[in-house]
Amino acid sequence: MSKSGEEPAIRALIDAQIDAFRRKDAAAAVATLAEDVVAFEMIPPLVLPREAARSEQAMAGWFAGWEGPVNIEMRDLTIQVDGDVGFAHSLNRLFGTRLGGGITDIWMRSTLGFRRTADGWRIVHGHSSVPFEPADGFRARLDLQP
């Protein structure tokens, strides 16, 4: 970890996003994102358009697919800050019950980029991924755990 005094503010932003997901609060989740956010998420397309990444309606629609909270457990968080930019990486567990009773419980890799704005720190880049198995048709490895 860097020695920056800004790490607690970035950690608070990450915690606010995780809490917004748990509560399924689309407005609060989107509020953590910069206007020009770039999102490389596991769902298609390769890059979510900014309008989609920042859409409260799209986020609320995704939350509506869960019966209860959308839970995120974070491990091995590392934050680096230099001036008005920073990044963090961690292993994140996404788990909960989907509508209809299906259980989601996967670990993924997460990298976030941050920029200090007039309104405080915001996420300017998000990237989530899971490893794949090249010898097995590039099948996603959703069974891995730290």
Side-chain angles (χ1 to χ4, degrees):
M1 274 193 177
S2 68
K3 302 288 187 214
S4 169
E6 295 299 323
E7 286 177 31
I10 289 175
R11 176 61 194 243
L13 180 66
I14 294 168
D15 289 344
Q17 188 181 57
I18 289 172
D19 184 59
F21 272 63
R22 182 187 51 75
R23 295 181 293 111
K24 298 194 292 191
D25 183 338
V30 169
T32 63
L33 306 175
E35 293 290 330
D36 58 345
V37 66
V38 175
F40 295 164
E41 297 302 338
M42 293 191 300
I43 60 172
L46 288 173
V47 179
L48 287 178
R50 286 185 179 112
E51 306 79 44
R54 288 195 39 83
S55 169
E56 286 183 36
Q57 183 177 2
M59 184 72 72
W62 187 76
F63 288 154
W66 297 81
E67 283 188 11
V70 179
N71 297 295
I72 298 173
E73 174 187 342
M74 189 175 8
R75 290 189 50 178
D76 304 329
L77 175 64
T78 300
I79 299 172
Q80 296 287 325
V81 184
D82 189 3
D84 291 336
V85 297
F87 74 91
H89 57 83
S90 60
L91 298 175
N92 294 353
R93 177 182 174 215
L94 174 69
F95 62 103
T97 304
R98 304 288 299 186
L99 283 182
I103 302 296
T104 294
D105 192 349
I106 63 170
W107 282 92
M108 67 186 100
R109 304 172 290 201
S110 175
T111 303
L112 297 172
F114 305 92
R115 181 177 60 238
R116 187 190 340 247
T117 70
D119 297 323
W121 288 96
R122 294 293 180 266
I123 298 168
V124 294
H125 179 78
H127 187 133
S128 299
S129 67
V130 295
F132 62 87
E133 193 61 62
D136 188 17
F138 295 96
R139 180 181 59 88
R141 292 294 309 270
L142 302 177
D143 60 327
L144 298 177
Q145 298 179 15

